[in-house]
């Protein structure tokens, strides 16, 4: 679904102009020339600052846990293969664990491992009492059934929040999941810490992935937003997004959401992250989001940058979920 959505939305973006879309700077000059937006600049949400605050709180809690029961939370990570992006993500998560006092155990398996070998690794981590959270780094190699491996993770250690029991409980009002997917929880954390009212607001989520789109739409409903979801078969997606008080996007299409997709004053949460070529960068590339930041900043009231927006908060939510798992395991409260 994600691949189909990306291709369809990309074509729709192209068709929204008479020919190919004009450069970002061309569109930006149009908005800046409009009196209503001439003096307006959206407030940038500093995800790094939010994440730092969360980690400071977690660090203090974990230190108290160690003093009280001589135990600390443990995170087990299963990494199959040597994809550069997966290796980078695992390094970031491992470093974040170290910063707050969580022990991490990374099990690296070769690309050609069998599905049974991965399942055996997950089973061993399920039985390891010093491991309170388990993360299977996605994507897995094509010859593996992702769902089967994710479902093998103990629901009590499913700190990614992808187990069907956790996802099902998230969808059912009156039930509480043990864990909420980190990116979606991070999205809500960013809104709360930015003093954004959710109840009664119209929220639009672009994307239906189980990692972000689906759980975010469910979570926003739990906070009493009226939620619309834009997906591969949505007609006139721009019309839907222009009604949003809160817009969340995570489809991996750089600059998909342009200024004319936004209504003035919207809160924009950009959860997309794609590497694009950039000759001006020393690395030859840069990370960009789904939302054209230069155009959004003159329309929105609040906007998350990419990088430095929701990403750091998502990592801190993984740490928080792992700490919560340890608290349950040890029946520990401060």
């Amino acid at each position: 679904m994600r691949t189909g959505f990306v291709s369809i939305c990309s074509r729709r973006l192209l068709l929204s102009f008479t020919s190919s879309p004009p450069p970002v700077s061309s569109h930006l000059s149009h908005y800046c020339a409009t009196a209503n937006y001439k003096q307006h600049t959206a407030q940038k949400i500093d995800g790094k600052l939010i994440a730092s605050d969360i980690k400071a709180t977690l660090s203090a809690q974990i230190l108290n846990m160690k003093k009280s029961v001589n135990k600390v939370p443990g995170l087990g990570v299963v990494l199959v293969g040597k994809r550069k992006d997966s290796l980078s993500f695992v390094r970031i998560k491992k470093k974040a664990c170290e910063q707050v006092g969580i022990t991490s155990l990374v099990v690296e398996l070769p690309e050609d491992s069998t599905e049974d070998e991965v399942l055996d690794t997950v089973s061993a981590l399920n039985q390891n009492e010093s491991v309170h959270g388990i993360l299977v780094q996605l994507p897995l190699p094509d010859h593996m059934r992702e769902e089967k491996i994710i479902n093998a993770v103990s629901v009590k250690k499913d700190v990614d929040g992808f187990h069907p029991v956790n996802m099902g409980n998230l969808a059912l009002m009156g039930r509480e999941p043990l864990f909420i997917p980190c990116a979606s929880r991070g999205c809500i954390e960013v809104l709360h810490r930015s003093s954004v009212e959710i109840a009664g607001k119209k929220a639009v989520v672009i994307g239906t992935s189980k990692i972000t789109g689906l759980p975010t739409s469910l979570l926003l409903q739990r906070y009493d937003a009226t939620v619309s979801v834009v997906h591969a078969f949505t007609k006139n997606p721009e019309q839907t997004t222009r009604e949003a008080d809160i817009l969340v996007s995570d489809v991996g299409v750089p600059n998909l959401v342009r200024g004319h997709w936004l209504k003035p004053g919207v809160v924009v949460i950009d959860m997309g992250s794609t590497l694009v070529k950039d000759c001006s960068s020393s690395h030859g590339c840069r990370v960009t989001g789904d939302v054209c930041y230069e155009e959004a900043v003159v329309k929105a009231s609040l906007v998350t940058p990419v990088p430095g927006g929701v990403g750091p908060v998502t990592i801190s939510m993984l740490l928080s979920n792992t700490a919560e798992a340890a608290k349950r395991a040890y029946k520990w409260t401060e």
Side-chain angles (χ1 to χ4, degrees):
M1 176 63 76
R2 185 181 177 98
T3 302
F5 180 83
V6 168
S7 60
I8 290 172
C9 280
S10 297
R11 288 199 295 273
R12 284 180 178 156
L13 176 60
L14 292 173
L15 291 173
S16 68
F17 300 97
T18 55
S19 55
S20 60
V24 170
S25 58
S26 174
H27 249 256
L28 180 60
S29 63
H30 166 74
Y31 290 111
C32 289
T34 304
N36 289 340
Y37 309 124
K38 198 168 185 178
Q39 303 299 324
H40 175 79
T41 301
Q43 179 182 341
K44 181 174 75 172
I45 298 173
D46 190 340
K48 291 181 180 179
L49 186 61
I50 294 172
S52 178
D53 187 44
I54 294 169
K55 287 191 285 188
T57 300
L58 285 173
S59 183
Q61 289 178 352
I62 292 167
L63 182 61
N64 287 339
M65 177 186 288
K66 187 174 182 179
K67 290 178 179 178
S68 176
V69 296
N70 199 31
K71 302 286 186 179
V72 296
L75 175 67
V77 180
V78 180
L79 175 63
V80 185
K82 293 190 177 295
R83 282 178 57 116
K84 287 184 178 180
D85 55 349
S86 293
L87 288 167
S88 177
F89 291 145
V90 169
R91 281 196 298 269
I92 291 169
K93 292 167 185 175
K94 187 174 181 178
K95 182 179 179 180
C97 284
E98 293 171 356
Q99 290 173 338
V100 300
I102 294 174
T103 60
S104 59
L105 171 62
V106 179
V107 182
E108 297 189 38
L109 299 172
E111 179 86 16
D112 59 357
S113 296
T114 66
E115 192 175 84
D116 284 342
E117 287 173 328
V118 178
L119 289 170
D120 287 344
T121 299
V122 171
S123 178
L125 291 173
N126 282 337
Q127 300 303 316
N128 189 332
E129 293 184 358
S130 67
V131 172
H132 308 97
I134 299 173
L135 181 154
V136 178
Q137 184 63 46
L138 303 177
L140 291 168
D142 292 339
H143 66 279
M144 295 182 184
R145 288 171 290 179
E146 191 174 279
E147 287 297 326
K148 183 175 182 179
I149 292 170
I150 289 174
N151 293 353
V153 175
S154 167
V155 68
K156 294 181 180 180
K157 297 188 177 186
D158 171 41
V159 289
D160 257 342
F162 298 152
H163 192 284
V165 171
N166 281 321
M167 289 290 282
N169 285 340
L170 179 62
L172 295 173
M173 300 300 288
R175 295 190 182 183
E176 294 298 327
L178 289 175
F179 304 102
I180 295 169
C182 303
S184 300
R185 189 179 171 193
C187 173
I188 298 299
E189 190 73 21
V190 163
L191 292 173
H192 282 165
R193 287 176 179 257
S194 302
S195 302
V196 175
E197 184 180 355
I198 301 175
K201 299 300 183 180
K202 189 155 191 177
V204 174
V205 178
I206 305 177
T208 58
S209 75
K210 68 182 177 187
I211 295 174
T212 304
L214 174 59
T216 300
S217 63
L218 294 172
L219 196 53
L220 284 165
Q221 289 180 70
R222 279 185 168 248
Y223 284 93
D224 300 317
T226 300
V227 182
S228 298
V229 178
V230 172
H231 51 74
F233 298 97
T234 301
K235 295 180 179 179
N236 300 319
E238 304 99 316
Q239 182 177 335
T240 302
T241 61
R242 278 196 294 268
E243 298 174 356
D245 300 307
I246 301 169
L247 178 67
V248 180
S249 183
D250 180 31
V251 290
V253 181
N255 295 323
L256 169 68
V257 179
R258 307 297 291 260
H260 68 281
W261 288 43
L262 308 173
K263 81 172 184 180
V266 64
V267 175
V268 177
I269 307 296
D270 189 351
M271 302 173 78
S273 180
T274 307
L275 273 177
V276 297
K277 291 182 179 180
D278 184 355
C279 296
S280 65
S281 169
S282 59
H283 299 288
C285 60
R286 60 182 172 83
V287 177
T288 190
D290 293 347
V291 179
C292 178
Y293 184 83
E294 294 87 350
E295 294 176 9
V297 79
V298 295
K299 292 288 289 289
S301 58
L302 293 166
V303 61
T304 57
V306 177
V310 183
V313 185
T314 297
I315 298 295
S316 69
M317 292 298 97
L318 171 65
L319 305 178
S320 181
N321 280 351
T322 304
E324 288 297 328
K327 290 177 185 178
R328 292 192 191 106
Y330 297 132
K331 297 181 174 60
W332 181 81
T333 55
E334 286 191 275

